[in-house]
Amino acid sequence: MTSTPDVIVVGAGIVGAACAHYAARAGLKVTVLDRGPVAGGTTGSGEGNLLVSDKAPGPELELALQSAELWRELAEQLPRGVEYEPKGGLVVASDEAALTALRTFAAAQEKAGVTVREVPADRLPHLEPHLAPGLAGGVHYPQDAQVMPALAAARLLRASGAELRPGQEVTGLLTGPGGAVRGVRTASGVLHAPYVVNAAGTWGGELARLAGVLLPVLPRRGFVLVTEPLPRVVRHKVYAADYVADVASDSAALQTSPVVEGTPAGPVLIGASRERVGFDRTLSVPALRRLAAGATALFPVLAGVRVIRTYAGFRPYLPDHLPAIGADPRVPGLLHACGHEGAGIGLAPVTGRIIAECLVGGQPPLDISPFDPARFEAGGGA
Amino acid sequence: MVTESYDLVVVGAGPAGLAGAGAAGQLGLRVALLDMAERIGGQFYRQPAAALGATRPQALHHDWDAFVALRGRLAAGRVEHLGRHHVWAVERDGDGGRGGPGERPGGRRGDGEWVVHAVVGEDGGEGGEGGGEGRRAVRVRARAVLLATGAYERQLPFPGWTLPGVVGAGGAQAMLKGGLVRPGKRVVVAGSGPLLLAVASSLASAGVEVPAVIEASGYLGYARHPRALAANPRKLAEGLTHGAALLRHRIPLRTRSAVTEAYGSERVEAVTVSRLDARWRPVPGSGRRIACDALAVGHGLVPGIELATTLGCATRSTADNTLALRLSSTQETSVRGIWAAGEVGGVAGAQLACAEGELAALAIAARLTKPGPYAGPDPRRPSGLDPGRPARVGQLLSRRARLRAFAEAMAAAHAPGPGWTDWLSDDTEVCRCEEVTAGRIRAAVTDEGARDARTVKLFTRAGMGWCQGRMCGAAVSCLAGDGQPPAQRRPLAVPVTLGALAAEGPGCGQEPSRSQT
Ligand SMILES: Cc1cc2nc3c(=O)[nH]c(=O)nc-3n(C[C@H](O)[C@H](O)[C@H](O)COP(=O)(O)OP(=O)(O)OC[C@H]3O[C@@H](n4cnc5c(N)ncnc54)[C@H](O)[C@@H]3O)c2cc1C
Ligand SMILES: Cc1cc2nc3c(=O)[nH]c(=O)nc-3n(C[C@H](O)[C@H](O)[C@H](O)COP(=O)(O)OP(=O)(O)OC[C@H]3O[C@@H](n4cnc5c(N)ncnc54)[C@H](O)[C@@H]3O)c2cc1C
């Protein structure tokens, strides 16, 4: 360590990497700490869908639209690739009722700036030749894209020039008189900086507690199935229309309407289930069965294809399903960038930009009041 | 789904599983013995496929009588053998025993119930086209599970190891025993571990020319454990038999050496053998070529423990840097109700596997047939074993202690030295499934900051392919420099088709089929 950084980012997942990247671009000296390796948290155990298609009009969709643009830029700027693929999404409806609901949803999204293209039933095979017959129709979302999250985190960090310190767990926050942040404590000592960004993902609630504030981030488990490599049988990100209802659901029960997609390396990815069961990694056969059933219902050809692995991750979610982004009004110098649930990969760049603007006193690119980190404080905001 | 219920499900029909299932059956438990292979025997008692019509399979086995005895006990104990059952997961039963306790010894529910998930069908083989068709999903319920899934071979890559004609040492042995096929006419045997001597002697007996056995360790390590050696006359005799066979066939044994490169256009035509220093770095200028048409190579065995790790069973590191299950004195894993025997608890050979299988059966029978609301005194003490057979238990315990000590001594002697990665050139393919080279992995470590095998895998895809890192796991962790044995976390122990998975639900499966032992 040569000199004191301007800002310490806690967490080397995709969100921490994006914060480091945009803060460094704004001219700040950044140090990133993680108790594990880069992408050792949820970023390394999820998928890399950059979706606008699954979001209803509102603050999260605004984030997603801006972030989609930023991802496109980053994919061009990053010296080594992040496997960015603007492949587009295809949402299908199995019957007329579902199609009507999907149309209404898509019309509202279009007003909010999403590009949508309705696909009548007889055109579906042109987009996806192996789709099950008999579907009622669908909507094509050309803005949906894909990155490889772990590579993206590693390459964003490297390009940022930030100092990365893996294997360093933050065990305490240092505060000065008046309660302002002065740095962090780790097992190997203290590190001073006037700003600390909480990018600890699913563990962001614990970091907030170290600062003495409430931020109720909770885990929501997801399983993903990975098949043996295949020639391309799935071209877009394909999922059934009931997915949209699941994302906004408040039920703790298992819900699955898997996104099915092919990858450049060959395997088809099917994910992901959504359950609130704490940090339980135990294999859940019902979750796997529902993923498999959903995928084979959309693509019957997949029935004979072998799944070679499955993995689980824990999405960081907040009770209102919106992330916490911005300065914490309760602790001067503390900023939060966590709680992105199932969309953290997609929303990372815009989150990084907002944090950078907050750090340098600039204007965030959109209204960030819905993401106020203090909103869960008793008697507090929304 | 109609689900069969048993007191005990044994996964793996090698020596450990056979001994466990047979003993448990004779103690009155209702036992199912599942194995992905059609025929019982596992690695040590591997039998040729029936279709090959071998008349004297025992010709390749020096312990055939023991196998015949094990087979007899299976029949006497009325053990249900379910062949071609590929077990992909064991799961704690959610609702605590729908099967109904009526027919069980002791007539009460166990501590918990387990569901063993399998797909039934032919061996899928290595990523073969359409191999998944026609498999069906079955579930078997059990009050206790004995995991006896054995081990697989450890490979350390070297330039040329992907050439046709390069086979695993254990694989060559399995080819001989199972298919009666010779891997070549002139076969170099290389790697590390006692299996090499057995392989060379089997090859020579089958009429194959073996120009040399190349052993990376010095065998001197054995001298550091004289007591473990002296206490194991049978093991020594076995080693001597193989040693004598080597002498008779005039096969030179070269220690502290390794095959550091294989050459050939269509298939292997020659190998370079280099001397190794104490850290297993090749000594420059020591390379010597040996012509051959096949190479049988392996660096010891890795316990196949994924079914257990998915259940959260605790592991321990072995002296040769693998993970084995951590077991109680009665062979129980850290998860109550899940037991293990044989190589899964640390590689130690067929004799120990048999002793452990039987010990586990005694302990399981004692637990399951114990009357009363709880399992009695401390079930982890040997007194938790069937109290009716103290002499047998004592005999098994002392045999286990003796053979374990011997195995630990061997594992320490044959542990790969850290310098072996020096024989990898940057363009050597390390992960064959995903075609990831040593250079790419080194770049992930030096340029991208990966410091452990998992991160290397995320950045490079090494270990993500068909074999799920069973082939490259050891090499990737060494190159990543993480100093840990490769993790054995594979929530699906074998591949399952999406169709079979989708049919896993209640009410849509079928009863398991039975096959003949
Ligand atoms: C199965 C699944 C599928 C998903 N699919 C998608 C998808 O398709 N598209 C999408 O956009 N999102 C998806 N997600 C969600 C996405 O993965 C997450 O929102 C995102 O990875 C969160 O990133 P993060 O950087 O906030 O958290 P993480 O990646 O978890 O990073 C947080 C880091 O903080 C570190 N840390 C925590 N506490 C401390 C401490 N005290 N000291 C030091 N370090 C600490 C952790 O070690 C960790 O590395 C999916 C998630 C799952 C589980
Ligand atoms: C390739 C190979 C060759 C060997 N050759 C010899 C030899 O010649 N001489 C010698 O002394 N030792 C040999 N060994 C060592 C051998 O491991 C032991 O001697 C002995 O066989 C161990 O007994 P076990 O019961 O623990 O395991 P094994 O004999 O390996 O039996 C394990 C059984 O479990 C089954 N199984 C594993 N996973 C699953 C699953 N998920 N679902 C269903 N079934 C499953 C396997 O099909 C196998 O039949 C060899 C090992 C290997 C890997």
Side-chain angles (χ1 to χ4, degrees):
Chain A
M1 247 290 300
T2 43
S3 65
T4 302
D6 299 316
V7 52
I8 295 168
V9 175
V10 184
I14 192 71
V15 174
C19 290
H21 183 81
Y22 287 100
R25 274 212 336 210
L28 301 175
K29 188 167 167 354
V30 185
T31 294
V32 180
L33 303 180
D34 200 298
R35 61 183 171 206
V38 173
T42 311
T43 298
S45 50
E47 294 181 277
N49 299 313
L50 314 178
L51 301 185
V52 296
S53 57
D54 65 336
K55 293 176 182 69
E60 199 190 7
L61 180 59
E62 280 183 52
L63 285 177
L65 283 167
Q66 295 220 11
S67 223
E69 278 308 306
L70 294 175
W71 266 123
R72 203 203 319 269
E73 260 176 52
L74 286 172
E76 281 167 18
Q77 292 162 1
L78 289 176
R80 299 177 66 186
V82 294
E83 299 183 7
Y84 178 78
E85 255 197 299
K87 58 160 78 164
L90 179 63
V91 183
V92 297
S94 52
D95 53 29
E96 278 309 318
L99 185 58
T100 310
L102 176 61
R103 271 198 196 114
T104 313
F105 189 72
Q109 286 175 311
E110 193 169 23
K111 281 211 193 81
V114 178
T115 309
V116 303
R117 294 187 190 135
E118 183 163 345
V119 186
D122 62 338
R123 297 287 304 167
L124 284 174
H126 295 265
L127 289 179
E128 287 293 343
H130 297 286
L131 261 182
L135 295 166
V139 173
H140 178 212
Y141 292 87
Q143 285 155 312
D144 284 356
Q146 163 78 29
V147 290
M148 164 45 184
L151 275 183
R155 292 187 172 157
L156 269 174
L157 272 175
R158 198 162 172 80
S160 74
E163 185 203 12
L164 172 64
R165 297 196 192 176
Q168 302 253 344
E169 174 152 13
V170 171
T171 54
L173 246 73
L174 308 174
T175 48
V181 162
R182 288 176 45 234
V184 299
R185 183 175 299 113
T186 70
S188 55
V190 298
L191 182 62
H192 290 283
Y195 294 102
V196 172
V197 177
N198 172 10
T202 314
W203 304 272
E206 283 154 43
L207 200 78
R209 202 158 34 242
L210 293 180
V213 294
L214 173 75
L215 189 63
V217 187
L218 289 166
R220 195 178 195 188
R221 183 172 73 182
F223 279 98
V224 177
L225 299 179
V226 186
T227 73
E228 61 191 310
L230 301 175
R232 260 226 163 157
V233 292
V234 184
R235 300 175 184 177
H236 302 79
K237 297 178 174 294
V238 186
Y239 58 98
D242 50 344
Y243 180 85
V244 179
D246 288 351
V247 175
S249 161
D250 271 320
S251 151
L254 166 67
Q255 295 158 329
T256 22
S257 174
V259 178
V260 183
E261 68 167 324
T263 58
V268 170
L269 297 188
I270 301 158
S273 55
R274 294 169 180 272
E275 291 165 281
R276 294 181 196 157
V277 291
F279 284 105
D280 179 3
R281 269 195 193 280
T282 317
L283 185 72
S284 162
V285 174
L288 304 194
R289 179 178 63 78
R290 292 186 54 165
L291 289 172
T296 52
L298 287 177
F299 293 96
V301 290
L302 293 179
V305 169
R306 285 167 293 195
V307 179
I308 60 173
R309 78 192 168 99
T310 178
Y311 59 86
F314 299 96
R315 304 175 186 86
Y317 84 91
L318 283 159
D320 59 1
H321 305 286
L322 289 177
I325 310 175
D328 193 319
R330 299 161 294 184
V331 184
L334 177 65
L335 295 86
H336 299 278
C338 58
H340 296 74
E341 196 159 344
I345 311 303
L347 304 184
V350 73
T351 302
R353 271 213 54 195
I354 295 171
I355 292 295
E357 293 298 345
C358 293
L359 286 168
V360 300
Q363 183 65 40
L366 49 82
D367 171 22
I368 61 169
S369 57
F371 318 116
D372 177 9
R375 66 189 188 273
F376 303 101
E377 201 68 64
Chain B
M1 179 183 262
V2 185
T3 311
E4 232 14 56
S5 272
Y6 296 88
D7 293 314
L8 171 64
V9 164
V10 179
V11 185
L18 288 173
Q26 289 195 315
L27 289 166
L29 300 189
R30 244 167 76 65
V31 184
L33 173 60
L34 277 65
D35 198 295
M36 58 171 86
E38 181 162 10
R39 312 193 68 180
I40 59 168
Q43 295 296 356
F44 190 70
Y45 299 118
R46 181 178 287 276
Q47 308 177 66
L52 291 173
T55 46
R56 285 184 62 248
Q58 61 270 37
L60 283 162
H61 294 273
H62 37 263
D63 229 0
W64 196 251
D65 293 348
F67 177 59
V68 171
L70 286 171
R71 205 168 49 182
R73 296 186 79 180
L74 281 194
R78 306 184 32 182
V79 170
E80 192 104 57
H81 169 233
L82 304 175
R84 301 190 308 145
H85 276 56
H86 305 248
V87 176
W88 55 270
V90 178
E91 195 189 20
R92 196 185 286 279
D93 190 3
D95 66 359
R98 273 167 294 195
E103 78 252 61
R104 288 176 191 137
R108 74 177 195 92
R109 289 180 185 206
D111 296 298
E113 295 262 339
W114 303 97
V115 181
V116 177
H117 297 270
V119 283
V120 187
E122 293 312 322
D123 202 347
E126 290 260 320
E129 287 295 312
E133 303 282 345
R135 284 203 181 178
R136 104 201 129 61
V138 301
R139 295 191 300 200
V140 185
R141 205 179 294 279
R143 297 170 67 201
V145 175
L146 173 58
L147 298 174
T149 45
Y152 61 91
E153 212 164 7
R154 171 162 54 195
Q155 294 300 342
L156 302 181
F158 51 88
W161 75 305
T162 55
L163 276 175
V166 179
V167 298
Q173 181 83 327
M175 277 162 83
L176 277 177
K177 285 184 181 174
L180 309 173
V181 190
R182 286 177 281 236
K185 292 198 181 69
R186 188 176 150 85
V187 183
V188 171
V189 176
S192 190
L195 187 58
L196 300 185
L197 300 182
V199 173
S201 112
S202 299
L203 285 170
S205 310
V208 173
E209 184 190 351
V210 180
V213 175
I214 312 297
E215 163 62 56
S217 82
Y219 271 104
L220 274 180
Y222 284 39
R224 287 191 209 114
H225 305 270
R227 242 183 299 152
L229 287 178
N232 285 278
R234 185 157 167 200
K235 280 278 172 195
L236 272 186
E238 215 176 271
L240 285 178
T241 324
H242 295 313
L246 295 197
L247 277 181
R248 188 165 34 157
H249 295 284
R250 297 169 183 281
I251 303 172
L253 169 65
R254 297 188 45 188
T255 57
R256 295 199 172 286
S257 305
V259 167
T260 49
E261 188 155 9
Y263 316 85
S265 43
E266 302 287 289
R267 62 176 282 133
V268 60
E269 289 160 15
V271 296
T272 295
V273 174
S274 303
R275 273 214 327 280
L276 300 182
D277 69 11
R279 295 170 53 82
W280 285 33
R281 278 177 306 212
V283 175
S286 69
R288 211 194 86 193
R289 259 186 195 234
I290 302 182
C292 58
D293 64 354
L295 168 67
V297 60
H299 283 274
L301 302 175
V302 180
I305 58 175
E306 37 276 281
L307 290 171
T309 51
T310 302
L311 284 164
C313 298
T315 57
R316 66 180 179 94
S317 297
T318 63
D320 60 346
N321 206 38
T322 68
L323 287 183
L325 295 179
R326 186 184 291 283
L327 300 176
S328 76
S329 60
T330 62
Q331 302 293 132
E332 194 169 20
T333 68
S334 66
V335 174
R336 189 177 164 87
I338 302 288
W339 313 69
E343 311 287 50
V344 286
V347 170
Q351 275 173 270
L352 179 61
C354 288
E356 289 188 345
E358 191 177 339
L359 270 173
L362 289 168
I364 292 165
R367 167 85 55 82
L368 294 188
T369 56
K370 185 146 286 168
Y374 43 75
D378 183 4
R380 278 156 203 269
R381 289 210 332 265
S383 61
L385 294 162
D386 186 347
R389 293 169 186 74
R392 183 63 180 156
V393 168
Q395 198 180 15
L396 290 169
L397 288 174
S398 72
R399 184 180 303 168
R400 183 180 64 187
R402 181 163 52 77
L403 291 168
R404 270 278 163 234
F406 183 76
E408 292 296 321
M410 284 206 301
H414 292 283
W420 74 266
T421 51
D422 280 17
W423 69 56
L424 292 172
S425 61
D426 272 350
D427 61 0
T428 308
E429 210 166 74
V430 169
C431 167
R432 304 167 75 149
C433 304
E434 297 289 334
E435 300 174 1
V436 183
T437 61
R440 175 70 191 92
I441 294 172
R442 285 172 173 145
V445 173
T446 50
D447 303 347
E448 281 152 17
R451 306 189 312 169
D452 57 86
R454 178 178 185 265
T455 312
V456 165
K457 167 168 143 181
L458 280 172
F459 290 176
T460 67
R461 303 190 57 79
M464 278 197 189
W466 181 255
C467 84
Q468 288 295 292
R470 287 178 179 88
M471 275 288 236
C472 62
V476 172
S477 333
C478 289
L479 287 169
D482 73 2
Q484 302 285 324
Q488 300 292 333
R489 270 205 283 149
R490 297 182 187 94
L492 299 180
V494 298
V496 198
T497 62
L498 282 164
L501 259 187
E504 257 285 330
C508 33
Q510 297 117 325
E511 232 184 303
S513 78
R514 267 139 231 171
S515 68
Q516 290 308 304
T517 297

